[in-house]
Amino acid sequence: MGNFSEAYSQARDVIQTEKFAAEWETFIDNEAKLKLVLGADYPSASHGDGLDKLRTRFDKAAKKGFFSNFTGNGLDEVILAACKTGGRDANIGEKAATLKMLKHLYLQRKNGNQDVWIYAPPKAYRSWVFSEIKGEDSGSKSKLRQEKEVYSARERTVMCDALQEAAAWCQKVQINMAAAGGEDTVKAWFMDSAATPQNLTQALDTLKAGFKKLDTVCRSGQLIFSDEPGDRTSGGWKDWAFVYKSEAMNVVYLQGAFVKAGNSGNKTMCALTIIHELTHKILGTNDNRYDYDGLKPTATLPFAKALNNADSWGYFAADICGMLSASDRSKVLS
């Protein structure tokens, strides 16, 4: 299992086809409506509160506090009991993993047509949940009991704010490009000394169409922020974010540098990062050069490469929206 989309697809298949304990079947079908939460292509915001109902039920059922360490009647026992139908449950591991995954999936914000989904698995997980939980063995039980998530509630809120900021930038870019000075900003970030007037026209058309697509995705309710446990535990946590271009769903994997910037109040870099990653996912851009190497269009970063460079798109958006300081602009365009 290599990405969120694959884990989501497996969880959906389990919820749709497997049987759970009788009282849980009623809860899953009629109260939480989890079969409706997990839509065919993306989670359904119309039924997103079912995930909160699931968390509430788990919290009430699992014994908390000191004595749970001795009784063993914690979250692991609750989840496993929910998965048992009275017979031989060959797929109990998949069922338990599915419920555990859903416990850590959030409809974090529902605001108009901006539905923000975040998957924040336990920090202790080193791989996707279906690889962590295999059945009723002691290792799986230990993983089911893990609760400390990789993103805190506050950090999840910051992610929503950053997406809202990114969406606002996308709209402002489209407006500002039609205003006086828009062409000068395009020239600064994309036009090398050999670029032609035809290249400028191409850049303007490409940027306008591109930011319109990015704006649509930011407001679609079909964008998911997720941890990638394998990447995180193998050294990737020090970075900002990444996407899998070929992944079925629109998923941005947010890493430690993004979380740190968000916690320190650096909204500009968080919004810029989201735009950077979405250009990879939606527009197929590459990482031809990063900000720390300088983004001034030159013979080594000519027009074609600059227009296909994710960081150039992100910094251009920040600049044309007035969100880039003069010193940072000068430094990055050096």
Side-chain angles (χ1 to χ4, degrees):
M1 185 163 292
N3 58 47
F4 176 87
S5 297
E6 293 174 1
Y8 177 89
S9 179
Q10 186 164 348
R12 184 174 187 274
D13 183 65
V14 169
I15 282 293
Q16 295 289 339
T17 62
E18 294 289 344
K19 295 294 183 183
F20 293 80
E23 62 179 289
W24 278 89
E25 278 283 310
T26 301
F27 173 79
I28 288 170
D29 288 345
N30 301 328
E31 188 172 344
K33 298 182 179 179
L34 296 182
K35 292 181 181 179
L36 297 178
V37 174
L38 300 186
D41 299 311
Y42 284 91
S44 169
S46 299
H47 303 284
D49 63 344
L51 298 172
D52 293 324
K53 293 176 181 178
L54 178 67
R55 282 185 280 272
T56 298
R57 180 165 182 137
F58 279 148
D59 288 343
K60 288 181 178 179
K63 289 185 177 179
K64 302 295 183 182
F66 179 79
F67 289 105
S68 66
N69 294 324
F70 299 95
T71 63
N73 190 21
L75 183 60
D76 56 329
E77 297 296 336
V78 172
I79 292 178
L80 289 170
C83 297
K84 294 179 179 179
T85 59
R88 183 176 179 275
D89 293 293
N91 295 328
I92 193 168
E94 286 190 349
K95 290 191 285 186
T98 293
L99 292 180
K100 182 64 170 170
M101 180 177 180
L102 295 182
K103 187 180 188 301
H104 299 285
L105 178 63
Y106 295 86
L107 175 55
Q108 187 64 33
R109 180 175 295 175
K110 184 172 175 58
N111 181 20
N113 61 348
Q114 188 185 50
D115 306 323
V116 187
W117 296 94
I118 300 177
Y119 178 53
K123 202 170 185 178
Y125 287 12
R126 300 182 64 84
S127 57
W128 291 97
V129 64
F130 290 97
S131 298
E132 297 280 346
I133 299 165
K134 294 294 188 179
E136 298 184 79
D137 58 282
S138 60
S140 293
K141 287 183 177 181
S142 175
K143 295 298 175 64
L144 285 170
R145 289 194 296 268
Q146 297 295 327
E147 289 278 70
K148 186 174 182 181
E149 295 175 330
V150 65
Y151 308 132
S152 69
R154 179 182 179 277
E155 289 163 352
R156 297 196 306 269
T157 298
V158 168
M159 293 171 188
C160 294
D161 293 342
L163 178 59
Q164 186 171 342
E165 183 79 358
W169 286 13
C170 290
Q171 283 198 330
K172 289 178 183 178
V173 167
Q174 296 174 77
I175 295 170
N176 291 346
M177 284 183 67
E183 287 191 4
D184 290 338
T185 309
V186 173
K187 290 176 181 178
W189 292 98
F190 299 103
M191 308 295 286
D192 66 286
S193 60
T196 66
Q198 290 76 20
N199 291 146
L200 178 59
T201 300
Q202 179 186 348
L204 289 166
D205 291 343
T206 299
L207 290 165
K208 288 175 183 176
F211 277 102
K212 184 176 181 179
K213 290 180 180 178
L214 297 178
D215 187 26
T216 298
V217 172
C218 286
R219 302 176 190 277
S220 68
Q222 295 186 343
L223 177 62
I224 296 162
F225 294 139
S226 177
D227 172 54
E228 213 290 18
D231 172 84
R232 168 171 47 84
T233 56
S234 62
W237 191 241
K238 67 181 182 298
D239 298 324
W240 285 82
F242 69 96
V243 298
Y244 294 120
K245 286 185 179 181
S246 61
E247 183 170 0
M249 304 168 81
N250 292 327
V251 184
V252 177
Y253 298 94
L254 298 178
Q255 300 163 289
F258 182 101
V259 173
K260 183 178 180 180
N263 285 335
S264 66
N266 193 339
K267 293 182 180 180
T268 295
M269 283 306 300
C270 288
L272 192 156
T273 297
I274 290 173
I275 288 177
H276 171 122
E277 296 304 332
L278 287 180
T279 66
H280 284 322
K281 181 66 179 174
I282 307 303
L283 306 177
T285 62
N286 295 319
D287 289 320
N288 296 317
R289 189 174 293 177
Y290 291 106
D291 53 2
Y292 49 75
D293 289 321
L295 296 178
K296 180 179 175 61
T298 62
T300 57
L301 186 67
F303 165 74
K305 284 191 173 182
L307 194 59
N308 187 245
N309 188 51
D311 242 7
S312 298
W313 281 70
Y315 274 92
F316 165 76
D319 188 17
I320 202 169
C321 292
M323 301 304 295
L324 197 61
S325 70
S327 61
D328 284 344
R329 187 181 193 274
S330 177
K331 180 180 179 181
V332 177
L333 279 176
S334 63

